[in-house]
Amino acid sequence: MLRKALAPLAILLLIAGGALWLTQPATVDAAEYDDLTGDPERGETVFIAAGCASCHYAPGAEDEARLILSGGQSFETEFGTFRAPNISPSPEAGIGDWTLTEFASAVTLGTAPDGSHYYPAFPYTAYTRLAPQDVADLWTHMQTLPASDAASEPHDLRFPYSIRASLGGWKALYLNDDWVMQDPEDETLERGRELVEALAHCGECHTPRDALGGLDTSRWLSGAPNPSGDGQIPGISPSELDWSETDIAYYLETGFTPDYDSVGGHMVPVVNNFAQLPESDRQAVAAYLKALPAN
């Protein structure tokens, strides 16, 4: 009788153990990075396109001070308040003592050097599509930036979102490196896909999410509630945006819309970043957006 009673418990323990194993923080294959040498100039382009400074400069910083990635900006969401950490090259307060593979695991898999999960407010769900060389270039460039000894501030999240270990299950559901646009027809669309779906992580704001916070890619770029709870982020799919490719590329360079309005809110730093990229990149984004199917 005792043996029969213990059997279901043993099965539950096996299932729980298997779930814990499957949802442990993953790390990159070090062999993919061992022979890579980063190019800081190419890394600067990755850095700008990915918008790293836009989230990680100190509140109120201006001009060159925005390259001091001391963190501290707060981002209000329905899950609580996320605060950007210090990612400057400081070995004590920032990420200066990380290895390239630790950096790659953080950027592409959301895994910290101590083996814990990062929250997806850090858009590794988009960056997971980056090629190892892009990551190495970005890492090399970031080592050239000023260091800051400012301490990172903790997040302030509501229960149960404050249970960081639960992110293993979330990643099992939502973290993958699949592209939304399959088999782009030419190099322009391929570059546009890289910028929209990976580097500039446009879908993180412009795509609706389900109850658990995962992107609903069946409604890709169709617009979403503002995470702060204030208003709506517009759709930029062909069903929602009737601008021409020229209009889109011009907006990304200047911030001016076809009806003579100007960029505002969180799109201001996005446009500032895109304005620093080559014209071909802005045209690639425009081509990508116009090539998407209507949803």
Side-chain angles (χ1 to χ4, degrees):
M1 292 292 292
L2 179 62
R3 189 174 299 172
K4 288 183 178 179
L6 290 176
L9 177 60
I11 292 172
L12 286 174
L13 289 173
L14 283 172
I15 292 173
L20 286 173
W21 181 80
L22 287 172
T23 58
Q24 284 183 337
T27 55
V28 298
D29 181 358
E32 292 187 330
Y33 293 86
D34 284 344
D35 297 327
L36 295 181
T37 299
D39 180 333
E41 291 187 8
R42 290 191 71 251
E44 183 179 20
T45 299
V46 176
F47 177 82
I48 293 169
C52 304
S54 300
C55 285
H56 291 277
Y57 64 70
E62 298 288 344
D63 302 325
E64 291 300 311
R66 294 191 174 194
L67 295 178
I68 305 174
L69 307 181
S70 55
Q73 293 187 63
S74 296
F75 301 91
E76 305 289 338
T77 74
E78 60 184 300
F79 307 107
T81 301
F82 294 95
R83 295 186 176 90
N86 183 332
I87 60 168
S88 78
S90 167
E92 293 82 21
I95 63 174
D97 64 346
W98 291 13
T99 65
L100 170 58
T101 52
E102 287 174 336
F103 178 74
S105 293
V107 169
T108 65
L109 297 175
T111 299
D114 66 5
S116 61
H117 293 292
Y118 284 121
Y119 285 96
F122 173 20
Y124 54 80
T125 48
Y127 297 155
T128 193
R129 301 178 179 93
L130 294 180
Q133 185 62 60
D134 288 334
V135 177
D137 293 340
L138 175 61
W139 174 243
T140 302
H141 171 69
M142 290 181 67
Q143 302 315 297
T144 70
L145 300 178
S148 166
D149 60 2
S152 296
E153 299 179 31
H155 304 312
D156 183 14
L157 305 179
R158 299 198 308 275
F159 181 84
Y161 311 116
S162 55
I163 303 175
R164 194 178 288 263
S166 66
L167 288 166
W170 190 92
K171 287 181 180 179
L173 291 172
Y174 299 113
L175 181 60
N176 66 76
D177 59 3
D178 296 337
W179 296 99
V180 177
M181 177 182 281
Q182 299 292 319
D183 303 319
E185 296 178 357
D186 54 39
E187 291 182 358
T188 297
L189 286 180
E190 185 172 7
R191 178 57 175 168
R193 180 179 73 169
E194 182 182 21
L195 286 162
V196 173
E197 298 189 24
L199 284 169
H201 51 278
C202 305
E204 299 297 312
C205 286
H206 289 277
T207 298
R209 296 179 181 271
D210 62 21
L212 295 178
L215 292 180
D216 180 359
T217 55
S218 69
R219 295 186 288 164
W220 181 243
L221 302 181
S222 63
N226 192 319
S228 68
D230 182 19
Q232 186 83 3
I233 295 174
I236 54 174
S237 71
S239 299
E240 309 289 336
L241 188 69
D242 61 0
W243 296 359
S244 68
E245 288 188 29
T246 301
D247 291 336
I248 295 170
Y250 185 74
Y251 173 75
L252 292 174
E253 180 181 8
T254 67
F256 289 107
T257 70
D259 56 359
Y260 308 106
D261 198 358
S262 59
V263 66
H266 288 296
M267 272 302 296
V268 172
V270 175
V271 169
N272 288 340
N273 292 334
F274 268 107
Q276 298 176 64
L277 298 177
E279 175 63 23
S280 59
D281 279 352
R282 296 187 289 274
Q283 292 173 347
V285 168
Y288 169 92
L289 293 178
K290 299 302 288 186
L292 288 172
N295 53 21

